[in-house]
Amino acid sequence: MTVFEELKARGLLAQLTDEEEIKELINNGKATFYIGFDPTADSLHVGHFMALCLMKRLQMAGNKPIALIGGGTGMIGDPSGRSDLRTMMTKETIEHNCECFKKQMSRFIEFAEDKALMVNNADWLLDLNYIEFIRDIGVHFSVNRMLTAECYKQRMEKGLSFLEFNYMIMQSYDFLKLYENYGCNMQFGGDDQWSNMLGGTELIRRKLGRDAYAMTITLLLNSEGKKMGKTQKGAVWLDPNKTSPFEFYQYWRNVADADVLKCMRMLTFLPIEQIDEMDKWEGSQLNQAKEILAFELTKLVHGEEEAQTAQESARRLFGGAAAGTDFEMPTCELADSDFQNGTIDILGILVKAGLTASRSEARRAVEQGGVTVDGEKVSDVKTVYHPEQFDGEGIVVRRGKKNYKRVKMG
């Protein structure tokens, strides 16, 4: 199976231009390709996972990835898939986030010996001369055509700012600069980026001629991949200080039955033939597949030792372990201020631990029999606990089958 065929078999390719040329470049290790990352936080999350895995996969086949950090476009924000204006960030915040991204990407991509590049588009965007830019670049874009782009439709209903309207032109300009400066002949992006990417392809061909190489590929289900990074409690981060290896493992261990093999094909480096064999699995075997998925992805992000620890911890916890066991699990620390008259009730514990969003939600959870403390069901919403009960390893509070926290004194 060629590299291109494997990308298709794993469900990674959706739309593309010049398929035969793309196939030739990828299969022969001749592609210098980029994927962009806007530094909207100080950590990547699992919504970026598909792109990072793709970059690693293609680099292993001899192709050269460019990780483009949007230090310049991050000053504006991509309107794609959004119904509101992004929060403006300071230059200092963007620079800090870019540094954090570089450290995390190094776990996936080998940057040594010119095998990959990390480039910041602030290098050419922040010092642009506006008049020169619109004369040289803006002239190649039709406003009528831009307004038909899918990425602008949602924003048009609530009001699309001129600031955001520039994003397509700036992203297209990125591809041109990467082509000219680094020989970048291919770009990848999510299915919500198709219009922006076509803009870059057309810009290169208009300015440099129809023979200029400029390929575009979008990733199938990348918008769904972004949703992977969101849970009811926020994002699942690649930074272990934000999402522990154990929580990261459990996130993938708890994916829906219908998604487990899809995630395995797209995100792991297990042989496609091995994954195809799992198509026959059902029932309890799907739980085994989820363990494999969780272990492989945790190993990729946090290393094999952390992955093994997380897997063992999960097996022991869900095998009925309680407080006092010496394995990793999400922890919530209480402060003296959390106690009223020397006690804290079960509703307060559930809210403090992030297991419920409010006391009313906590009350319903207790009344419905879904809350346990150290393996014992709590049925009285007035149950209270004293500070000394949280000394040492504290207590293990669980809501439902999959949500739990160790709660102890800080």
Side-chain angles (χ1 to χ4, degrees):
M1 184 181 292
T2 66
V3 178
F4 186 83
E5 289 171 343
E6 183 173 355
L7 295 183
K8 278 197 166 183
R10 289 181 179 273
L12 288 168
L13 303 184
Q15 303 176 82
L16 46 86
T17 62
D18 304 297
E19 179 171 341
E20 291 304 313
E21 197 67 55
I22 290 172
K23 191 183 301 183
E24 168 70 17
L25 291 172
I26 288 177
N27 288 342
N28 293 287
K30 297 178 180 179
T32 298
F33 66 97
Y34 96 89
I35 298 180
F37 301 82
D38 272 353
T40 54
D42 59 0
S43 173
L44 298 165
H45 56 70
V46 299
H48 297 113
F49 215 28
M50 187 181 297
L52 293 170
C53 292
L54 177 71
M55 296 174 86
K56 180 179 177 71
R57 201 180 303 279
L58 289 178
Q59 186 183 50
M60 291 168 62
N63 298 287
K64 183 176 180 178
I66 298 176
L68 180 66
I69 305 298
T73 44
M75 301 289 288
I76 294 177
D78 183 3
S80 301
R82 295 187 62 86
S83 58
D84 56 355
L85 184 66
R86 290 185 184 272
T87 302
M88 291 291 184
M89 296 184 296
T90 66
K91 186 177 180 180
E92 293 72 23
T93 297
I94 291 173
E95 289 175 351
H96 170 73
N97 293 350
C98 288
E99 284 301 311
C100 295
F101 277 21
K102 185 173 184 177
K103 292 178 183 177
Q104 293 178 347
M105 286 181 181
S106 295
R107 290 198 67 96
F108 293 81
I109 305 165
E110 184 179 356
F111 289 100
E113 300 177 1
D114 200 34
K115 292 184 177 180
L117 294 173
M118 178 168 287
V119 179
N120 191 329
N121 64 13
D123 294 344
W124 55 78
L125 290 180
L126 295 189
D127 294 327
L128 282 176
N129 178 293
Y130 183 69
I131 297 298
E132 290 180 3
F133 182 71
I134 58 176
R135 282 175 60 91
D136 185 38
I137 303 301
V139 69
H140 296 292
F141 289 82
S142 162
V143 171
N144 289 348
R145 185 173 178 182
M146 290 172 69
L147 289 175
T148 65
E150 191 65 34
C151 62
Y152 289 139
K153 287 183 179 179
Q154 278 186 308
R155 297 292 290 119
M156 286 290 289
E157 296 178 3
K158 292 190 176 182
L160 176 70
S161 72
F162 182 71
L163 180 72
E164 295 171 290
F165 189 63
N166 278 270
Y167 194 92
M168 180 187 291
I169 300 177
M170 297 180 82
Q171 182 172 328
S172 299
Y173 186 63
D174 283 345
F175 194 18
L176 174 65
K177 296 300 290 185
L178 291 171
Y179 179 91
E180 292 178 330
N181 296 347
Y182 305 103
C184 181
N185 51 24
M186 192 175 297
Q187 58 179 332
F188 284 77
D191 52 6
D192 57 347
Q193 293 288 311
W194 184 241
S195 298
N196 293 348
M197 294 169 68
L198 286 180
T201 298
E202 286 302 312
L203 177 60
I204 289 176
R205 290 178 175 173
R206 283 175 180 270
K207 282 191 64 63
L208 305 179
R210 301 300 297 180
D211 292 334
Y213 283 170
M215 316 298 174
T216 57
I217 299 180
T218 64
L219 305 187
L220 181 64
L221 298 175
N222 197 42
S223 58
E224 185 171 325
K226 290 180 179 179
K227 294 175 186 176
M228 288 179 185
K230 301 293 183 182
T231 68
Q232 294 179 351
K233 300 169 189 172
V236 176
W237 305 100
L238 305 193
D239 183 345
N241 295 317
K242 290 177 174 287
T243 299
S244 73
F246 180 78
E247 292 172 305
F248 188 85
Y249 177 92
Q250 278 303 114
Y251 173 79
W252 295 107
R253 173 62 180 81
N254 293 329
V255 298
D257 290 355
D259 294 334
V260 60
L261 293 185
K262 176 173 62 179
C263 291
M264 202 173 289
R265 286 189 176 94
M266 290 181 172
L267 304 177
T268 76
F269 290 82
L270 296 174
I272 192 69
E273 296 81 9
Q274 179 182 344
I275 300 171
D276 287 344
E277 282 295 313
M278 297 181 193
D279 274 329
K280 307 169 187 175
W281 291 10
E282 56 186 22
S284 61
Q285 287 181 307
L286 285 177
N287 288 328
Q288 183 183 346
K290 292 179 184 181
E291 283 197 345
I292 294 171
L293 172 68
F295 181 84
E296 290 295 324
L297 298 188
T298 306
K299 179 174 70 173
L300 186 61
V301 175
H302 299 294
E304 186 165 1
E305 184 176 348
E306 291 286 4
Q308 289 175 342
T309 299
Q311 187 170 74
E312 291 169 7
S313 297
R315 286 173 175 174
R316 292 177 65 184
L317 175 64
F318 292 106
T325 50
D326 58 350
F327 60 86
E328 176 195 8
M329 73 170 67
T331 299
C332 166
E333 295 186 346
L334 298 178
D336 292 338
S337 58
D338 293 315
F339 293 84
Q340 302 294 325
N341 299 319
T343 64
I344 182 172
D345 64 10
I346 186 61
L347 306 186
I349 292 173
L350 288 166
V351 174
K352 176 71 176 182
L355 295 173
T356 63
S358 64
R359 287 181 64 87
S360 58
E361 182 181 339
R363 177 183 293 273
R364 289 193 296 272
V366 172
E367 291 175 342
Q368 292 168 3
V371 176
T372 64
V373 172
D374 290 346
E376 298 291 331
K377 183 179 293 187
V378 179
S379 55
D380 186 353
V381 296
K382 296 181 180 180
T383 302
V384 296
Y385 299 83
H386 298 83
E388 58 269 20
Q389 292 177 265
F390 301 97
D391 290 340
E393 293 298 326
I395 63 175
V396 175
V397 183
R398 184 185 297 184
R399 180 195 175 192
K401 294 181 179 180
K402 300 178 180 179
N403 302 305
Y404 50 85
K405 281 283 178 72
R406 184 187 299 280
V407 182
K408 62 181 183 179
M409 291 300 297

